[in-house]
Amino acid sequence: MARHAHHEPHGDDLLAAAKATLERSGEQWTAMRANVYAALSGFAKPASAYDIAEALSRSEGRRIAANSIYRILDLFVTANLALRVESANAYVANAHPGCRHDCIFLVCDGCGNTTHFDDDSLTGGLRAAAGAAGFVAERPVVEVRGRCADCAATARAQSGQSTH
Ligand SMILES: [Zn+2]
Ligand SMILES: [Zn+2]
């Protein structure tokens, strides 16, 4: 299966790429937006606006309302800095803010970890099928629920123990 290979920055590089992408869209990289992006990219799992509000309230030492986080997350999604995981009602930092993809998410029902990959042949097929049905596809949402490798291994070990 061919995966679309492209540059995926991490850490400070990811922050710099996000800043550049937001500024290209005509928006300012404010201190608050930078903090929200840093908090979002620090989560191993998809984070809700409440998760981020809580993390920032702790690190800033003042109460930050989830409402203001929502607005920034919406802006991030529009500007391609963040992606919404619909089935988890949460957000992840976009690993490739510089280019647009129909991202495919693998969401673990055991631990909540979410990984993503891009396969334009899969999502292109969905868009083509929608188009053939006369439907104008704007954004395919492809999320696969199941168990990550760690949780699957744990489940196997536990079922092994119970059959002694
Ligand atoms: Zn992607
Ligand atoms: Zn898991």
Side-chain angles (χ1 to χ4, degrees):
M1 185 171 58
R3 287 188 181 186
H4 181 86
H6 52 96
H7 182 58
E8 292 198 355
H10 294 282
D12 287 348
D13 284 350
L14 179 58
L15 284 180
K19 178 178 188 287
T21 301
L22 190 67
E23 287 174 347
R24 258 200 311 280
S25 79
E27 293 282 349
Q28 284 188 336
W29 186 252
T30 63
M32 180 67 176
R33 289 170 180 177
N35 286 342
V36 170
Y37 195 83
L40 176 65
S41 61
F43 277 92
K45 302 171 189 176
S48 70
Y50 287 97
D51 294 333
I52 293 169
E54 245 175 59
L56 282 186
S57 296
R58 268 198 307 273
S59 64
E60 303 262 301
R62 64 189 171 99
R63 188 84 206 109
I64 290 168
N67 263 348
S68 55
I69 305 293
Y70 265 121
R71 280 195 298 275
I72 293 174
L73 289 171
D74 268 352
L75 172 73
F76 284 175
V77 170
T78 304
N80 203 36
L81 268 59
L83 304 165
R84 215 179 118 79
V85 182
E86 304 287 347
S87 66
N89 193 18
Y91 301 81
V92 293
N94 187 354
H96 45 71
C99 67
R100 278 191 191 268
H101 280 284
D102 297 321
C103 294
I104 298 165
F105 290 105
L106 307 176
V107 184
C108 178
D109 286 324
C111 66
N113 270 338
T114 298
T115 54
H116 111 276
F117 67 97
D118 300 308
D119 186 330
D120 292 342
S121 67
L122 280 176
T123 49
L126 281 176
R127 283 178 177 275
F135 188 85
V136 181
E138 283 172 358
R139 187 172 74 94
V141 175
V142 187
E143 299 178 355
V144 183
R145 310 286 308 218
R147 268 172 217 286
C148 70
D150 285 350
C151 288
T154 305
R156 268 196 307 275
Q158 279 170 352
S159 67
Q161 277 164 5
S162 64
T163 55
H164 54 92

